[in-house]
Structure formats: C-alpha cells, structure tokens
C-alpha cells in the first residue's frame, strides 16, 4: 500500500476519533460542516478526532453516525462483534424472490403477457394495498414477482409503438412499486438497478406522469446515498420540474401532484444541506401547487396533497435541526388526514425526530409507538427511528429505558 493511501477505517487498531476523521473525509465533509451537524464546536470535534478527548457517549455517537450516514455502528466503534445496522433494515423474506424477478430476462416468448387492462387493475390494487396494509412490504413483496414478469412480457410482446409505450408506462410503475419494497433493505445494487430501469422505461413510455414518478424515486436514491450525491439528486429533480412545467396549466391532478412532489424534494435536499431559505422557498412553491389540488386528493404514489404539506414542514424543520420549529410544525400537522398507513408512520417518525431534537425524549418514544401501530414495517426499516430507540434503550430514566427496550424488541432491533 502506498504510504499516502487513505487508511482503512475498519482495520484495527484505529481509534474512534481516527475513524470519525477518515469517514468524514470520505464523505467530503469539512470538520466545520460535521461539527455543525452534530451540535459541537469545530475545536471540540478536532479534539475528538485527534484523540485528545475520550470517545463520546452513545447519544453523540448516534448523532455522528446519522450525520456521516454510517450504517453500522461497528464502523465507528471498531467493535465488530457488536453490529447495529442503523440505516438498513433487515432483509425481508421476500427480497430474494423480488430480486430474482428483477434480474431475470426471458428472451423468448415463454411468458404470455396478460391483457393490459388486467395488469393495470393488478397494479392499482397493489398500490392500494401498499398504502392500506400495516405490513405493506409483505403484501407487495408477495405481488411483485408476477407483476414484474408480466410487465416485462407486455413490453416484449408489444406489436405497435403505441402498445409499447403503454407497456413501458406500466413497467415503469411496476419498478416504482418495487423501489418502495427494496428501499432500506440490504441490497443497494438492486435498488439502483430498479431505479435506473424505471427511469428508462418511463422515458420510453413518453408518459409525463410516469417520468415524474421515476425521477422522484431516482433522485431519492441519489440523495439517500449521502451528501456527495446531493447535486445529482437536485439535477434530476430540477430537470423533471422543467420537463413538466409547460404541461402544468392544463395538467390533470396526478401530473400536477408529481410536479409538486418534485418541488418539495428540492426543498428536502436543501434542508439536508442546512440551506434554510432555499428549503422553505421550495416548500412554499410545493404548498402553492398543493393548494391547486382538490381538498380530498392524494397522489397514488407519493401521497402529495394539501394534507401532506404539514408533514413535509415537519421534515424540513427536522432536517434543518430546528427542534423547536419541528415541534411547532408537528402541532399544526394533522396526521389523521394522511390515509396511507406507511406515510402516516413516516410522519410520526419525523415528529419523533423533532421531539428528540427539542429535548423531549419521552414524547419521541410515545410518538414512535404510534408509528409502530400505524405501520410496523415502516418503523422496522427506518434508520432514524432505530437510532432514537437504541439511544433511549440506554437511558438512565428507568421508565423511558423500559419503553424504548420494549419497542426495540417489537421491531427486531433487540432480542427478546
């Protein structure tokens, strides 16, 4: 190994501070940037990295892990006998079958395609189940293999350009549904294949709504890969917004809603960068677009609607680390109006993050319990929820520690 090569943070006997510095530099973050994200001074962080200050407690370790998007605490602590995967949930039992369907391509005509109307009805039912079932990954994981194979077959057997475009639109929708199942599971390469294939199928379809949804999901894949990919996420979102903008004066509700969802995603990424003004400016634009939708409308994929904007405001405040503001926004948001169970649970998790930031850990745990009741599989796969629960399972307050530990057992984070 060359003498100037970056050391491997997983090779002992590196100390905690060295691991933080190496992982920070690999993320392309300055010491000042990381210090701001975790709420300490750059001088304090420098002392931690240089080993002049002892390794921090669990709360700070989790904050560092979140800021650096470290998925396994062992990568920070060096204790490889104690793996805690924060941002990737457990592999779902149906992941293998879904992966096999995605990766399989029948080059002949062995799979007879279903009628288009039949596949459309099955996809509609699958999306409905995704929003209504508390164990939504189990439900759509059972449906996806056949949906993927049939949608691929429909594209292969298309006889005309119009038939092919319609089939590609359905295939893009199927890949979009697949991405919801695969997200936060231990196969990032599969997630990327599905996101990119969905974008290609959507573009081939020429369907503005399918293109908008595929762009929304692909941008999220970039953003959730870390700060170095924020620019790519913004580029995809911005290009999709520009593509849809000329269509908006005469657009139907679904196209208008996906354009609004894309606008909010620009604000979400800005909030991740701590760009306060830009984040709220995009939220305002998205809110204006939501106001153009019927009061009872909800986008079938993103849940974008008038009601969701309150939840989005909580997310922006949390990502900006504005604890008080996130709590105020949570009080204004009416989660009962969110019909999608996983989206409702996700909103509760964002509220819990806000309460945790605001120094209200008991309320945070109570809110996560509500998320668990709404959609257990959502909280089980959410890294932020897992981090809060793990932190409070070490609380010195007995009642809080007991509640957090019980919740940790329920979601599979700790053994019973």
């Amino acid at each position: 190994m060359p003498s100037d090569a970056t050391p491997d943070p997983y090779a002992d006997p590196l100390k905690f501070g060295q691991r933080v510095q190496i992982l920070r530099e690999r993320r392309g973050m300055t010491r000042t940037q990381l210090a701001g994200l975790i709420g300490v001074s750059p001088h304090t962080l420098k002392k931690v990295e240089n080993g002049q200050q002892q390794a921090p407690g669990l709360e700070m370790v989790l904050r560092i892990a979140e800021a650096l998007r470290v998925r396994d605490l062992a990568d920070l602590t060096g204790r490889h006998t104690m793996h805690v995967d924060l941002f990737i949930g457990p592999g779902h039992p149906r992941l293998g079958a879904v992966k096999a369907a995605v990766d399989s391509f029948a080059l002949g005509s062995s799979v007879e395609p279903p009628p288009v109307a039949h596949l459309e009805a099955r996809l509609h039912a699958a999306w409905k189940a995704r929003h209504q079932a508390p164990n939504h990954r189990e439900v759509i994981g059972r449906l996806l293999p056949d949906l993927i194979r049939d949608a691929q077959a429909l594209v292969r057997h298309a006889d005309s350009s119009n038939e092919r475009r319609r089939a590609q639109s359905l295939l893009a929708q199927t890949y979009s549904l697949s991405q919801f199942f695969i997200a936060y599971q231990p196969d990032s390469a599969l997630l990327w294949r599905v996101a990119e294939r969905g974008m290609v199928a959507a573009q081939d379809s020429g369907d503005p709504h399918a293109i908008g949804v595929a762009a929304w999901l692909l941008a999220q894949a970039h953003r959730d890969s870390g700060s170095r990919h924020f620019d790519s996420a913004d580029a995809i979102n911005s290009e999709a917004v520009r593509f849809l903008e000329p269509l908006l004066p005469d657009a139907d509700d679904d196209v208008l809603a996906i354009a609004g969802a894309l606008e909010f995603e620009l604000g979400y990424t800005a909030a991740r960068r701590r760009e306060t003004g830009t984040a709220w400016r995009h939220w305002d634009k998205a809110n204006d677009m939501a106001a153009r939708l019927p009061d009872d409308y909800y986008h079938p994929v993103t849940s974008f609607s008038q009601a969701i904007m309150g939840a989005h405001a909580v997310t922006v405040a949390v990502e900006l680390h504005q604890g008080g503001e996130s709590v105020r926004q949570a009080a204004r948001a009416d989660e009962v109006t969110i019909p999608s169970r996983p989206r409702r649970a996700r909103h509760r998790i964002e509220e819990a993050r806000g309460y945790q930031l605001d120094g209200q850990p008991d309320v945070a745990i109570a809110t996560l319990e509500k998320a668990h009741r709404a959609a257990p599989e959502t909280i089980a796969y959410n890294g932020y929820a897992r981090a809060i629960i793990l932190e409070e399972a070490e609380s010195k307050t007995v009642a809080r520690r007991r509640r957090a530990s019980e919740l940790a057992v329920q979601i599979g984070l700790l053994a019973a």
Side-chain angles (χ1 to χ4, degrees), residues 15-53:
K15 296 181 180 180
F16 176 82
Q18 292 173 295
R19 293 172 184 275
V20 172
Q21 180 178 355
I22 292 166
L23 292 167
R24 171 178 62 76
E25 291 175 349
R26 287 188 176 182
R27 282 290 186 193
M29 296 174 66
T30 67
R31 186 175 287 133
T32 299
Q33 288 173 327
L34 178 58
L37 292 176
I38 64 176
V40 302
S41 69
H43 178 70
T44 297
L45 179 58
K46 181 178 180 179
K47 289 173 66 176
V48 171
E49 292 185 345
N50 291 344
Q52 297 172 336
Q53 184 167 308

Side-chain angles (χ1 to χ4, degrees), residues 84-153:
V84 180
D85 198 337
L86 295 177
F87 293 94
I88 290 291
H92 194 278
R94 297 190 182 275
L95 180 61
V98 173
K99 181 179 186 299
V102 171
D103 291 345
S104 176
F105 283 92
L107 298 179
S109 56
S110 57
V111 178
E112 189 68 23
V116 170
H118 186 259
L119 184 58
E120 286 178 333
R122 287 162 58 198
L123 270 172
H124 177 77
W127 278 113
K128 185 176 180 180
R130 191 259 162 185
H131 289 297
Q132 292 183 350
N135 58 334
H136 51 283
R137 274 191 169 83
E138 171 61 25
V139 171
I140 64 174
R142 186 170 61 246
L143 300 173
L144 275 171
D146 287 340
L147 285 171
I148 293 167
R149 294 187 188 102
D150 286 349
Q152 290 174 344

Side-chain angles (χ1 to χ4, degrees), residues 235-298:
I236 294 166
N237 276 321
S238 297
E239 181 65 24
V241 168
R242 284 193 294 270
F243 170 74
L244 294 173
E245 192 170 20
L247 309 176
L248 296 185
D250 301 313
D252 62 22
D253 290 340
D254 286 349
V255 172
L256 178 61
I258 192 58
L262 287 160
E263 188 69 51
F264 169 71
E265 286 299 311
L266 287 166
Y268 192 164
T269 307
R272 282 269 179 96
R273 288 191 172 105
R274 305 295 191 270
E275 296 173 351
T276 303
T278 301
W280 287 114
R281 176 169 56 82
H282 284 296
W283 183 90
D284 285 338
K285 287 185 177 180
N287 193 46
D288 289 343
M289 297 173 82
R292 295 170 56 185
L293 296 167
D295 292 346
D296 59 349
Y297 172 88
Y298 294 89

Side-chain angles (χ1 to χ4, degrees), residues 141-222:
R142 186 170 61 246
L143 300 173
L144 275 171
D146 287 340
L147 285 171
I148 293 167
R149 294 187 188 102
D150 286 349
Q152 290 174 344
L154 202 63
V155 171
R156 285 197 306 273
H157 288 263
D159 291 328
S160 67
S161 58
N162 285 338
E163 287 182 2
R164 182 175 177 81
R165 283 194 294 270
R166 190 175 182 187
Q168 289 283 26
S169 178
L170 293 174
L171 180 59
Q173 292 179 47
T174 304
Y175 281 138
S176 295
L177 184 64
S178 301
Q179 191 167 337
F180 276 96
F181 173 82
I182 297 166
Y184 306 114
Q185 294 202 56
D187 196 337
S188 57
L190 179 63
L191 178 70
W192 279 108
R193 286 200 295 282
V194 166
E196 290 169 352
R197 288 180 189 175
M199 189 74 249
V200 171
Q203 287 178 307
D204 286 347
S205 76
D207 178 354
H209 179 253
I211 292 171
V213 171
W216 183 78
L217 286 165
L218 183 58
Q220 288 190 20
H222 278 281

